[in-house]
Amino acid sequence: MDPTRTVELLWGLREPWAGGGPKPTLSIEQIARTAVAIADTEGFDAVTMQRVAGELDYTKMALYRYVASKNELIAAMIEAAVGDPPDLTRITGGWRSRLEEWANRMWAAWEAHPWLPDVTVGNRIMGPNEVGWVEAALSALTDTGLNGDEQMDAVRLVSSHTRNTRSADTAGTLPWTADGQLPDSIGEQLHEHRKRYPSVTAAVATANPTTHNTRTFGLHRILDGLEQLISTRSHEGW
């Protein structure tokens, strides 16, 4: 993927239909929204240049005049799927409430587009919407006394936690399900071997699936740690 071309595509620096000819009748936004709709309903693997072109009643070669590769299409899809960055300025309660709201909105975007977390990993070009999301999170920490590295690390930590606690990712990493329940087959074995696994047995016995939420628990503990650090900065007289 040519980074320069991707920057031009996402940041509106490329003239559509730059090769000349009739005035373009498509936009990058239309193409991206069509591809997102396919991914949302049929899964990301269903997205191909041919399929998107067909949905728009264009040929694949015509589509290449707007997006030069599948990678460019994915970049445009990400930008469309994340949408406008959240405005946290009206969220009361200070930095903590704003950062928690930011994490919840990121979660909602990923739930709406389950394929999104998997395609937003690794080194890649971000568009103005994605950068705007980072700006929104960092702005919540501006007056906390944390330095730039600490602010960036805080945002990475919250983002990574949100990614890592998606139910699809956590399924199978522990003997119980995402809602804290044991499958009947495992539960029977655990009861049979409760002397071998006393801590697991005790923890599962006192778990409450109606209030259990790994993501919220972890997010609050992360925010607790940040709150302690910010409090230390305040006492240092920043």
Side-chain angles (χ1 to χ4, degrees):
M1 179 170 59
D2 184 343
T4 301
R5 286 187 58 87
T6 304
V7 169
E8 292 173 348
L9 176 77
L10 297 179
W11 291 83
L13 303 178
R14 183 190 304 176
E15 289 293 333
W17 207 263
K23 183 178 180 180
T25 55
L26 275 180
S27 68
I28 300 300
E29 290 75 15
Q30 285 176 288
I31 295 169
R33 286 197 300 269
T34 300
V36 166
I38 295 171
D40 288 347
T41 56
E42 301 179 37
F44 185 75
D45 289 342
V47 178
T48 64
M49 297 291 279
Q50 182 69 53
R51 176 64 188 283
V52 175
E55 290 290 326
L56 292 166
D57 201 25
Y58 275 70
T59 66
K60 183 170 71 170
M61 291 308 297
L63 200 65
Y64 278 121
R65 301 292 296 273
Y66 296 88
V67 285
S69 66
K70 177 70 175 291
N71 285 333
E72 283 194 7
L73 176 61
I74 294 172
M77 288 175 65
I78 293 170
E79 186 71 359
V82 300
D84 294 332
D87 179 4
L88 304 178
T89 58
R90 296 183 180 180
I91 303 298
T92 60
W95 69 266
R96 179 168 181 143
S97 295
R98 291 178 180 180
L99 203 55
E100 183 171 1
E101 178 68 14
W102 182 85
N104 289 336
R105 294 195 190 186
M106 174 181 283
W107 180 269
W110 284 358
E111 288 289 285
H113 310 289
W115 51 272
L116 194 54
D118 292 334
V119 299
T120 52
V121 296
N123 294 326
R124 57 192 177 77
I125 305 299
M126 289 187 179
N129 283 348
E130 267 201 289
V131 175
W133 276 79
V134 178
E135 171 66 21
L138 289 175
S139 68
L141 298 168
T142 299
D143 297 323
T144 58
L146 300 182
N147 63 37
D149 284 339
E150 291 167 338
Q151 291 179 29
M152 291 294 293
D153 284 342
V155 174
R156 290 190 191 99
L157 188 59
V158 172
S159 177
S160 296
H161 169 72
T162 306
R163 180 186 300 276
N164 292 336
T165 50
R166 290 175 60 238
S167 58
D169 290 339
T170 58
T173 60
L174 292 172
W176 48 83
T177 61
D179 61 359
Q181 295 297 289
L182 282 171
D184 290 341
S185 56
I186 298 297
E188 292 170 2
Q189 293 303 312
L190 183 61
H191 178 76
E192 182 71 21
H193 300 282
R194 56 190 178 280
K195 291 183 178 179
R196 182 179 180 182
Y197 308 109
S199 297
V200 175
T201 302
V204 171
T206 58
N208 186 347
T210 62
T211 60
H212 178 266
N213 189 313
T214 300
R215 179 177 64 89
T216 300
F217 176 83
L219 177 59
H220 287 174
R221 301 298 75 79
I222 290 171
L223 297 177
D224 287 345
L226 288 174
E227 190 163 25
Q228 183 175 2
L229 177 60
I230 290 169
S231 177
T232 299
R233 289 286 190 274
S234 178
H235 290 145
E236 291 173 352
W238 54 272

